[in-house]
Amino acid sequence: MFIVDKAAAATMNNKTPTPKIIFFDIDDTLSRNGIIAAHNQATLEALSKTDIKLVISTGRSKAILPADILALLDADILDAIICMNGQYSFNKDGMISHYPLSDAQTSKIVMLCQKSELIHKFDSATHIAWSHENERLREYNAITPNSILDPDYHKANTVYQCSVFFNTQEEKMQEVDFAQDDLKLVHWHHIGADILPIEASKARGIIDLCLHYDIDAKDCMAFGDGLNDLEMFDLVGYAVAMGDAKPELIARADFVTGTIEEHGIQAVVKHLHIDQ
């Protein structure tokens, strides 16, 4: 069901009924536990038959994007993918935009992670490289070819973001003034966060895609649930928070819909009268 329409009815009547691009977060928006919900895949397939462009906007590394999402790009159901929180964008023809971390940034990040004694990883376009191993990571690496143990990976390869893992120790790094080094810490879970350049965000990736397709961001819609969706919500014309989204994101949304299990995306598609 459609849970909340935060715009007044009179305002709704003036809204453009059909966005030109719809941006979708993956985890807990399209997918649960790494697998796209069947009804969400069906909706994407139906929308791909319209003039609306469909784009993924995720914090995930390009190297570990879900196979079902990549298959939708290969099948021309998705038009493009923004990954690593706007740090890298691509379509079937190749890279659209990218923003590598500098050597100074990676060195500073490593120092901060070592000071806090945190396992971390750097993400490139082809791999995620871990600083240390534990039993869980050994099992993960054994079944994930693009996930490797290489604490020096960032020294010889182009990387775009770092992820840190707190193991329920959320208080770690809270005292760090990331801004003094033009960096920021963005939580995607209570046990993990990404360290990024201060200007990095999904919104920057959306700006790049809008320039690529010559579309105004105000004619775009975005679905999301997490804190790394905040800037994306501020940019697009129609921001939709999932029913189980973070409260801070709900506060910035134009609409609040149901969860994946409540067919939240379908409720918005139907509400906006998008022809399929």
Side-chain angles (χ1 to χ4, degrees):
M1 61 178 291
F2 191 81
I3 296 179
V4 178
D5 170 10
K6 295 177 69 177
T11 304
M12 275 294 297
N13 291 335
N14 294 326
K15 282 184 176 286
T16 303
T18 305
K20 295 181 179 180
I21 305 179
I22 303 179
F23 295 93
F24 297 93
D25 175 51
I26 297 177
D27 297 293
D28 301 322
T29 298
L30 283 175
S31 305
R32 192 76 82 188
N33 299 319
I35 301 172
I36 190 169
H39 55 276
N40 284 340
Q41 177 160 336
T43 293
L44 292 177
E45 290 171 352
L47 288 172
S48 71
K49 297 178 174 62
T50 72
D51 292 332
I52 303 169
K53 295 191 178 298
L54 307 177
V55 177
I56 294 296
S57 184
T58 181
R60 278 181 177 249
S61 167
K62 181 176 185 288
I64 54 169
L65 287 169
D68 52 10
I69 295 295
L70 292 174
L72 294 177
L73 181 67
D74 289 340
D76 294 320
I77 292 167
L78 294 173
D79 291 278
I81 296 178
I82 298 167
C83 58
M84 295 183 273
N85 293 296
Q87 291 288 89
Y88 194 102
S89 303
F90 67 102
N91 59 17
K92 284 181 69 174
D93 296 326
M95 184 178 67
I96 295 172
S97 65
H98 75 140
Y99 302 94
L101 294 175
S102 68
D103 291 342
Q105 287 172 326
T106 58
S107 296
K108 184 66 177 183
I109 289 169
V110 169
M111 185 273 289
L112 291 171
C113 291
Q114 289 175 343
K115 184 177 180 180
S116 295
E117 298 180 337
L118 290 172
I119 290 178
H120 61 278
K121 67 174 176 66
F122 279 103
D123 299 348
S124 74
T126 57
H127 291 86
I128 59 173
W130 298 89
S131 61
H132 301 83
E133 269 193 331
N134 56 31
E135 182 177 353
R136 182 177 179 184
L137 286 178
R138 280 193 292 273
E139 293 175 355
Y140 179 75
N141 289 350
I143 60 174
T144 311
N146 295 337
S147 181
I148 60 175
L149 173 66
D150 186 351
D152 293 325
Y153 183 84
H154 62 282
K155 296 179 180 180
N157 296 275
T158 301
V159 294
Y160 297 93
Q161 71 177 7
C162 176
S163 299
V164 291
F165 295 84
F166 300 115
N167 294 322
T168 72
Q169 301 173 72
E170 285 188 79
E171 71 278 5
K172 287 202 171 186
M173 286 192 152
Q174 299 311 302
E175 79 290 350
V176 176
D177 183 6
F178 287 94
Q180 72 176 354
D181 296 302
D182 293 325
L183 298 169
K184 62 182 177 181
L185 183 75
V186 180
H187 281 269
W188 43 262
H189 194 272
H190 69 278
I191 64 165
D194 296 319
I195 302 176
L196 296 155
I198 200 163
E199 67 273 16
S201 71
K202 291 184 179 183
R204 180 160 68 171
I206 288 175
I207 290 170
D208 292 337
L209 265 293
C210 286
L211 288 172
H212 182 76
Y213 291 119
D214 193 23
I215 291 173
D216 193 311
K218 297 304 179 186
D219 293 325
C220 299
M221 173 178 283
F223 288 86
D225 70 285
L227 297 180
N228 62 350
D229 296 319
L230 288 169
E231 294 92 344
M232 175 171 75
F233 271 32
D234 288 343
L235 178 66
V236 300
Y238 318 105
V240 186
M242 303 301 290
D244 48 1
K246 295 290 186 183
E248 299 94 323
L249 192 70
I250 288 175
R252 303 266 269 272
D254 297 304
F255 309 105
V256 182
T257 190
T259 64
I260 291 176
E261 292 74 20
E262 294 169 328
H263 292 222
I265 290 173
Q266 290 70 34
V268 176
V269 169
K270 179 179 180 181
H271 182 77
L272 294 177
H273 307 294
I274 297 175
D275 294 330
Q276 300 184 48

